[in-house]
Amino acid sequence: MPCAYGSSLGVLSTILLYPCLGIPWIYYSTHFLSALVGIQSVSPKVTQRDVVILTVVLFLALFLFQRFGTSKVSFTFSPIMVMWFGTNIAIGVYNIVKYEPAILKGLSPHYIIKFFMRNGKEGWNLLGAVFMCITGAEAMFADLGHFNKEAIQLAFVYFVYPSMVITYAGEAAYLTKYPDQIGNAFYNSIPKPVYWPMFVISTLASVVSSQSMISASFSIVKQSLALGCFPRVNMIHTSTEHEGQVYSPEINYILMVICIALVVGFKGGVQLANAYGVVVVWVMIITTCLITLVMLVIWDTNFFLICGFFITFLTIEGVFMTSLLNKIPQGGWVPFAISVFFLIMMLSWMYGRSKKNLYEAKRKMSLTELQDMLSNPSLLRPPGICFFYTDLFNGIPPIIRHYIQHTKSVRTIMVLVTVRTLPIQRVRPEERLVVGKLGVDGVYRCLVHFGYREIPNVEGREDDYIASLTAKLREDAETTEEVGKLDSAMAEGVVFVIGRIILRANKNNNGWFARFTINRLYRFFQKNSKSAISDLGVPPGKTLQVGMLYEI
């Protein structure tokens, strides 16, 4: 039961968190622009257009570098972030001491009440700007693929959080003396002798923080693929030590194009910051709801503790959310538009996959039916081995019936092959193949295991692949006659058969919306997604592709 709950929650969290995929694009754009806008504080000749161009150049460099993996430069991330937070603390303390030491009184919560009593509705509107101070906290989940929970908690509580408080207090102290410079308070509050070193460190820190969100994007897509919630894309492991360090070319270039389009389209204006604030508060609300669900279903937490957690956090986040509603027409609509696109993609894919699985479950062949078809005197059994690839782990897929009915022939040896990628780097040779006889003359089932760092490509070495598989079959052979049959079949050659399934929703059983989803959306994503066995590299001269239409 816990496994079933876990799978359900995994799918649910993927559905709910895909609106959060609006975050990466807004995140990269906002952070790069906020780092590079410091140039304008030094020279009035530098225009916003120049900042946008420089941001686009850095985007191109960052995304084009992704294919090399973060392991090549990850050793620099920690020193950069230590320098970033350390220098912020130093400058914050300097500004507090120099301009207004009493600014630390602002840590007292009673000033919040006085602020709202004095400003009323205007104070509520200003909450949207205040919320920008805590953006970034939602990105901590990106580190869970590389660090444990305790490390993240210690770093945040004892280093990151104090740094944020001191930095903002220092800026506030500076603004008490120079309130007219609120437009770019961070860079204006930096002492001139350390301005350029801080500009470089700020830019590097933006690159590191953006890298964490890029890695998080790859990670969430990888997990969605495992749950069958996203069209198949290439997923390349870039590290020999960490399974979580992955790279997807398709997702990477989609991220790059949308980020550049956002920066150029909004020209680095306030609309981008509005979009960032809106999407972050909704991510926090969704995360609160999901954690509550986990506490209730998985952790079996006391009901009153769950209510206390849910009400407290939802109230705080709800207040911030209402203050940001007026930002939606002013750029806040962007993450929702991005989310709608990905939700349509994901839900269409899940709906089509569910219909396909249901069709196969109802129509998969039994061993008796297969035996009857193979026993038909009119069926030809030419010598040789047929490797029939299928992604169905249990049972015999209906495309086998379709193949036999229309070709009227089956090789003397037919092996149903299913390829699995395991969460380990490499599979030992003796554990790669798991074979078994299906109880029907000349028909076998084979599971081929690969590690996530291995490329399941047999091109150029198909003879070794066939020899090892045949040797495994011979080990499990029960009689010398069966061994002789395998040897003679191998001598006659092999053919690789790959099935291609096309879904079509008919008018009688489906409404217009279901037909549009299956016949247009799902078929489009299926046509443009990566094939489940595309990495095998089976030799084209020995490959036969068999298509079948599933009438849903």
Side-chain angles (χ1 to χ4, degrees):
M1 186 64 71
C3 293
Y5 280 141
S7 300
S8 302
L9 286 175
V11 174
L12 178 61
S13 64
T14 305
I15 293 174
L16 291 177
L17 283 174
Y18 259 92
C20 308
L21 276 181
I23 280 188
W25 299 293
I26 312 296
Y27 187 94
Y28 315 143
S29 308
T30 305
H31 277 245
F32 267 113
L33 284 168
S34 63
L36 298 177
V37 78
I39 302 177
Q40 292 179 295
S41 302
V42 178
S43 174
K45 295 181 180 180
V46 179
T47 64
Q48 187 69 12
R49 181 174 177 272
D50 298 327
V51 174
V52 169
I53 292 174
L54 185 57
T55 302
V56 170
V57 171
L58 283 178
F59 269 147
L60 288 171
L62 178 63
F63 283 108
L64 293 176
F65 176 79
Q66 292 304 309
R67 65 191 184 93
F68 298 107
T70 58
S71 58
K72 306 291 189 304
V73 294
S74 58
F75 68 94
T76 65
F77 289 175
S78 293
I80 289 173
M81 297 313 295
V82 168
M83 282 193 299
W84 166 247
F85 288 117
T87 51
N88 272 298
I89 290 173
I91 293 173
V93 170
Y94 170 83
N95 287 329
I96 292 170
V97 173
K98 181 176 180 179
Y99 297 108
E100 186 59 70
I103 200 70
L104 293 176
K105 291 181 180 179
L107 294 174
S108 175
H110 84 279
Y111 282 103
I112 301 174
I113 300 172
K114 293 180 67 175
F115 174 80
F116 283 111
M117 291 178 61
R118 185 171 65 249
N119 295 282
K121 184 179 179 181
E122 183 61 25
W124 176 77
N125 288 329
L126 288 172
L127 276 179
V130 173
F131 186 75
M132 296 299 291
C133 296
I134 61 172
T135 55
E138 82 290 340
M140 285 193 293
F141 78 93
D143 298 322
L144 284 173
H146 306 278
F147 307 101
N148 58 40
K149 181 180 67 175
E150 289 75 16
I152 296 173
Q153 289 174 336
L154 288 172
F156 182 79
V157 172
Y158 295 107
F159 192 50
V160 177
Y161 181 70
S163 171
M164 291 169 56
V165 171
I166 294 173
T167 300
Y168 286 123
E171 290 180 33
Y174 176 83
L175 291 174
T176 59
K177 301 298 182 183
Y178 304 100
D180 57 314
Q181 298 189 18
I182 192 171
N184 195 4
F186 175 75
Y187 280 111
N188 289 331
S189 65
I190 296 175
K192 298 305 178 185
V194 296
Y195 183 88
W196 285 111
M198 276 303 298
F199 175 79
V200 173
I201 294 173
S202 175
T203 304
L204 291 175
S206 294
V207 171
V208 173
S209 61
S210 297
Q211 180 60 56
S212 71
M213 291 303 293
I214 294 174
S215 299
S217 302
F218 295 153
S219 178
I220 194 173
V221 170
K222 177 177 179 290
Q223 294 170 35
S224 301
L225 290 174
L227 292 169
C229 303
F230 198 83
R232 285 184 291 267
V233 294
N234 286 298
M235 197 60 63
I236 302 168
H237 290 80
T238 59
S239 172
T240 57
E241 298 178 0
H242 303 284
E243 185 194 357
Q245 293 186 11
V246 293
Y247 163 71
S248 172
E250 297 91 339
I251 300 300
N252 184 62
Y253 292 121
I254 290 174
L255 286 172
M256 182 179 72
V257 170
I258 295 182
C259 284
I260 293 175
L262 287 174
V263 171
V264 174
F266 287 120
K267 298 180 175 61
V270 70
Q271 296 94 336
L272 211 52
N274 291 338
Y276 187 36
V278 169
V279 72
V280 167
V281 73
W282 276 103
V283 168
M284 292 185 174
I285 290 173
I286 291 172
T287 303
T288 296
C289 295
L290 288 175
I291 289 294
T292 303
L293 190 60
V294 170
M295 293 170 70
L296 181 65
V297 177
I298 304 296
W299 295 345
D300 196 22
T301 309
N302 183 280
F303 180 74
F304 294 103
L305 290 177
I306 295 175
C307 292
F309 166 83
F310 182 73
I311 293 171
T312 301
F313 281 89
L314 194 66
T315 301
I316 296 172
E317 293 158 358
V319 170
F320 279 112
M321 184 269 293
T322 56
S323 70
L324 287 164
L325 289 177
N326 61 342
K327 306 294 184 183
I328 293 178
Q330 305 168 20
W333 58 269
V334 173
F336 291 103
I338 295 172
S339 301
V340 166
F341 170 76
F342 276 95
L343 274 174
I344 290 174
M345 177 190 296
M346 181 183 63
L347 293 175
S348 301
W349 182 260
M350 290 175 62
Y351 182 73
R353 293 280 296 178
S354 66
K355 289 294 185 180
K356 174 178 177 290
N357 294 337
L358 184 62
Y359 183 96
E360 289 181 337
K362 289 182 177 179
R363 292 168 175 81
K364 63 183 179 181
M365 296 181 69
S366 65
L367 290 176
T368 303
E369 181 185 2
L370 180 60
Q371 180 66 60
D372 291 342
M373 295 188 76
L374 295 179
S375 302
N376 191 331
S378 63
L379 184 72
L380 297 177
R381 299 296 300 271
I385 300 178
C386 167
F387 292 107
F388 203 112
Y389 287 92
T390 173
D391 56 0
L392 190 67
F393 287 96
N394 299 311
I396 304 171
I399 197 169
I400 298 291
R401 179 191 302 115
H402 179 76
Y403 171 72
I404 296 175
Q405 286 176 344
H406 288 80
T407 62
K408 303 296 183 182
S409 68
V410 176
R411 294 289 183 108
T412 52
I413 301 296
M414 181 169 68
V415 184
L416 305 184
V417 181
T418 302
V419 179
R420 299 178 63 186
T421 300
L422 303 180
I424 57 176
Q425 289 188 34
R426 301 186 182 279
V427 175
R428 291 188 294 180
E430 62 271 19
E431 297 177 350
R432 187 173 305 283
L433 302 174
V434 178
V435 300
K437 194 173 181 179
L438 286 181
V440 180
D441 182 40
V443 182
Y444 301 85
R445 163 76 74 179
C446 176
L447 294 180
V448 185
H449 296 142
F450 289 96
Y452 65 80
R453 285 288 296 173
E454 295 179 295
I455 300 176
N457 194 323
V458 301
E459 189 173 7
R461 50 191 179 89
E462 58 267 16
D463 291 339
D464 295 336
Y465 171 73
I466 295 168
S468 60
L469 205 158
T470 308
K472 193 71 174 177
L473 293 174
R474 291 183 63 188
E475 289 179 13
D476 293 349
E478 298 175 353
T479 63
T480 54
E481 182 183 352
E482 187 177 353
V483 172
K485 194 173 181 180
L486 287 167
D487 291 338
S488 61
M490 183 176 177
E492 293 294 334
V494 301
V495 62
F496 299 89
V497 181
I498 299 173
R500 179 173 177 81
I501 306 301
I502 299 175
L503 265 63
R504 184 173 70 187
N506 60 43
K507 295 182 179 180
N508 299 327
N509 301 328
N510 301 277
W512 70 268
F513 185 74
R515 294 199 305 274
F516 175 77
T517 302
I518 293 292
N519 298 341
R520 295 286 183 263
L521 296 179
Y522 176 76
R523 190 176 296 179
F524 172 80
F525 294 131
Q526 183 188 36
K527 182 179 179 180
N528 291 279
S529 65
K530 172 189 171 186
S531 171
I533 55 175
S534 59
D535 288 334
L536 286 173
V538 292
K542 299 179 181 179
T543 302
L544 175 67
Q545 189 174 72
V546 178
M548 182 177 179
L549 181 68
Y550 285 5
E551 191 83 19
I552 305 298

